[in-house]
């Protein structure tokens, strides 16, 4: 598959697609603080179906403290094999009283893969975000589906009640593939339940010609448990249509 990895572009803790490499999308401030104070660990188990032909599995454990988090995971399928991966990310506000946040991340994986990212966020509750990611292009199975070695831009609204709404564009700026993902995301509380909807549009050069497709994610968080379902046509711009089910628990 053409994409090698997502070395995450934007910092988050409650990502949707949410795969083992979660530091990708703007987060939910209320969820971040609750997880930090009460449930710092998050265990996720993922099952992937690839066009009905074969499947893959991943397991991921994330720990968060303050504005920083670290995670360890493993992915396997019959074609790619098994890969262990780890990462860390943080958010730093250099100026007291300012909403400016600097957000670096790093990611490592067996097989010699190394990736990293850096993004900048400004504004509250309305915010803008811009970031860049780079990898050494070593083999890495991309669980988040977005282009890697990419620039990303986001604009949205996020408050302490748990509401988050944003538009985000992630586009390849290194490998000449013209690959671009555009996300429209809404996340809101409903009593003890939190709902997430992500509508995805992708365009760009794939393994066998041009790709123009739509995907979606639905996430339901209830108390300490969560379930996310992802439908990603032409995953990683290949000819494979992927469906993913992730279940997990915070503790």
């Amino acid at each position: 598959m053409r994409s090698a990895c997502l070395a995450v572009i934007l910092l988050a803790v409650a990502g949707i697609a949410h795969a083992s490499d979660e530091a990708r999308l703007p987060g939910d401030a209320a969820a971040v603080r609750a997880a930090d104070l009460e449930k710092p660990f998050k265990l996720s188990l993922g099952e992937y179906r690839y066009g009905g032909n074969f499947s893959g599995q991943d397991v991921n454990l994330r720990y968060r403290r303050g504005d920083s988090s670290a995670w360890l995971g493993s992915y396997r399928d019959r074609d790619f094999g098994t890969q262990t991966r780890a990462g860390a990310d943080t958010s730093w506000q250099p100026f007291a009283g300012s909403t400016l946040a600097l957000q670096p991340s790093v990611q490592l994986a067996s097989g010699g893969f190394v990736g990293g990212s850096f993004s900048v966020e400004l504004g509250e509750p309305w915010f803008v975000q811009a970031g860049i990611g780079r990898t050494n292009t070593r083999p890495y199975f991309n669980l988040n589906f977005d282009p890697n070695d990419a620039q990303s831009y986001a604009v949205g609204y996020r408050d302490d009640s748990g509401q988050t709404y944003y538009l985000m564009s992630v586009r390849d700026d290194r490998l000449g593939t013209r690959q671009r993902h555009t996300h429209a995301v809404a996340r809101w509380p409903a009593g003890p339940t939190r709902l997430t909807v992500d509508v995805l549009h992708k365009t760009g050069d794939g393994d066998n010609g041009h790709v123009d497709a739509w995907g979606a994610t639905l996430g339901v968080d209830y108390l300490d448990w969560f379930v996310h379902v992802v439908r990603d046509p032409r995953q990683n711009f290949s000819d494979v249509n992927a469906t993913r089910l992730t279940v997990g628990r915070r503790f």
Side-chain angles (χ1 to χ4, degrees):
M1 296 185 180
R2 177 168 294 190
S3 294
C5 83
L6 180 64
V8 293
I9 309 298
L10 299 172
L11 181 67
V13 297
I16 55 176
H18 260 192
S20 48
D21 322 32
E22 281 190 341
R24 182 171 68 94
L25 305 178
D28 179 329
V32 169
R33 292 168 187 169
D36 180 30
L37 294 174
E38 301 173 9
K39 310 287 183 180
F41 288 96
K42 180 179 179 180
L43 177 65
S44 303
L45 304 175
E47 175 72 17
Y48 299 76
R49 297 290 180 179
Y50 300 114
N53 297 320
F54 68 102
S55 63
Q57 297 79 36
D58 82 279
V59 58
N60 177 267
L61 179 64
R62 175 176 287 266
Y63 174 76
R64 183 172 186 90
R65 182 174 182 180
D67 292 326
S68 302
S69 62
W71 56 266
L72 179 65
S74 180
Y75 172 82
R76 67 170 301 277
D77 69 44
R78 73 179 190 193
D79 290 350
F80 183 80
T82 300
Q83 187 169 53
T84 301
R85 52 189 72 193
D89 51 68
T90 190
S91 181
W92 174 50
Q93 292 182 291
F95 305 112
S98 171
T99 61
L100 177 68
L102 309 180
Q103 303 170 335
S105 73
V106 64
Q107 188 170 321
L108 307 172
S110 57
F113 170 82
V114 179
S117 71
F118 182 79
S119 64
V120 179
E121 179 182 309
L122 180 66
E124 189 178 287
W126 292 94
F127 66 89
V128 293
Q129 229 177 40
I132 187 169
R134 285 292 181 264
T135 78
N136 63 355
T137 69
R138 296 293 294 273
Y140 183 90
F141 197 90
N142 182 359
L143 299 179
N144 281 326
F145 309 145
D146 282 335
N148 311 296
D149 293 289
Q151 296 179 9
S152 66
Y153 303 93
V155 57
Y157 173 88
R158 177 184 57 221
D159 64 27
D160 289 343
S161 74
Q163 296 184 86
T164 305
Y165 308 97
Y166 62 90
L167 293 174
M168 186 182 74
S169 176
V170 184
R171 64 180 182 86
D172 166 42
D173 70 335
R174 183 182 181 190
L175 303 180
T177 64
R178 299 185 297 171
Q179 294 175 359
R180 180 191 299 267
H181 276 194
T182 302
H183 294 268
V185 180
R187 183 180 299 119
W188 67 96
T193 303
R194 193 160 54 99
L195 304 176
T196 300
V197 176
D198 175 9
V199 177
L200 165 68
H201 181 236
K202 62 168 60 179
T203 61
D205 299 333
D207 292 347
N208 293 296
H210 184 70
V211 172
D212 189 327
W214 292 84
T217 299
L218 174 63
V220 178
D221 290 66
Y222 179 75
L223 299 178
D224 298 335
W225 296 89
F226 58 90
V227 178
H228 296 163
V229 179
V230 180
R231 177 62 176 174
D232 189 64
R234 306 294 297 273
Q235 178 200 249
N236 297 336
F237 291 85
S238 70
D239 292 331
V240 175
N241 296 322
T243 301
R244 180 183 181 200
L245 172 67
T246 300
V247 298
R249 178 177 173 83
R250 297 178 177 86
F251 58 95

